[in-house]
Amino acid sequence: MSGDTTNITVAYLEGRLADLRSFEQDVNDQKVAWLKAPAALKAGQDSFPSAKALKQAYVEYAKSVGDGIEAVRKTIDDIVNDLLKAGRTLHEGDGEALSEAQMLEILHDVLGGVAPKSTLP
């Protein structure tokens, strides 16, 4: 039965977010390196249309990777915030929760004997 349960902790999500941010930094570093490269090394600087198309494809790819990383980061931030909110809600409701015995007592009173009468205090 334990194989059917998945636990995702805030620490795990924060770790994955750190990995994604590191990857995003690597992509940004490559973009900076590309911008600093001599013009003669850049494919789009020559007269071959295919080289210009390759450069444009690379630029679009780099942008899409950055956009994808940002979308994943936002989703992970939303998940972390939802988990924190759920944790607060559960923590705040814990003191107000009824015990099983109290719930059975209420059901017994409301349903007129349908629920078994609790023998617990």
Side-chain angles (χ1 to χ4, degrees):
M1 185 61 79
S2 64
D4 295 338
T5 303
T6 301
N7 292 325
I8 298 176
T9 64
V10 172
Y12 172 81
L13 293 174
E14 288 173 345
R16 298 302 64 80
L17 181 58
D19 292 344
L20 289 171
R21 286 185 175 149
S22 175
F23 179 67
E24 179 183 31
Q25 184 60 47
D26 289 345
V27 170
N28 288 335
D29 291 345
Q30 290 300 318
K31 285 170 55 176
V32 169
W34 171 260
L35 293 173
K36 291 180 179 179
L41 296 178
K42 294 182 180 179
Q45 300 301 317
D46 58 24
S47 60
F48 295 109
S50 60
K52 291 178 183 177
L54 179 61
K55 178 186 176 189
Q56 184 60 34
Y58 177 79
V59 168
E60 290 171 7
Y61 170 74
K63 182 183 180 320
S64 71
V65 168
D67 291 347
I69 289 171
E70 181 60 25
V72 169
R73 185 203 60 77
K74 183 186 179 317
T75 300
I76 290 174
D77 284 350
D78 291 345
I79 290 170
V80 169
N81 288 332
D82 288 346
L83 290 173
L84 291 172
K85 182 179 176 184
R88 280 193 304 272
T89 301
L90 290 173
H91 178 70
E92 291 169 0
D94 187 42
E96 299 173 8
L98 296 175
S99 69
E100 181 182 1
Q102 291 169 321
M103 183 59 77
L104 287 174
E105 206 53 51
I106 291 170
L107 289 173
H108 180 69
D109 291 345
V110 171
L111 300 175
V114 175
K117 182 107 171 121
S118 172
T119 58
L120 298 175

